[in-house]
Amino acid sequence: MGVLKTASYGDLFGAAFAVGASFWAAMGVLGLLVAVASPQLFQMNGTPSGNSGQALGVLVVMLVVLMVLNTTIAAAGAGVWVFARRFLPREKTAT
């Protein structure tokens, strides 16, 4: 909890982004396996993908959009936390 009270905006953003990016990287690997094994599960304009190449194209677009959202959420969350921690009670220091 001490890190959350003292870390800079950049450190908070970096940590949040790294956690989110790790999750999307794992989902990308899982998506790659599904795209090869069962490409018809991926929809292209409402039509199932016909082959693995089309499914991989859909997967790439999905991952790019989700990484942009991840970046936005990490930036906003870090900003909100930097603002909100001003209102947290301060630890008492010994004098």
Side-chain angles (χ1 to χ4, degrees):
M1 186 67 175
V3 171
L4 290 175
K5 291 182 179 182
T6 60
S8 69
Y9 171 83
D11 291 338
L12 291 169
F13 169 78
F17 180 82
V19 169
S22 298
F23 174 77
W24 290 121
M27 291 298 102
V29 170
L30 182 62
L32 180 64
L33 295 173
V34 172
V36 170
S38 187
Q40 69 275 8
L41 292 176
F42 290 86
Q43 299 282 321
M44 296 175 36
N45 295 326
T47 306
S49 298
N51 58 44
S52 294
Q54 291 175 344
L56 290 175
V58 173
L59 180 64
V60 167
V61 170
M62 287 173 46
L63 289 176
V64 167
V65 169
L66 291 171
M67 285 305 294
V68 168
L69 286 173
N70 180 55
T71 304
T72 303
I73 292 167
V80 167
W81 185 253
V82 167
F83 176 75
R85 71 181 176 193
R86 294 179 185 185
F87 303 106
L88 294 176
R90 301 276 184 216
E91 293 181 14
K92 298 188 192 251
T93 57
T95 56

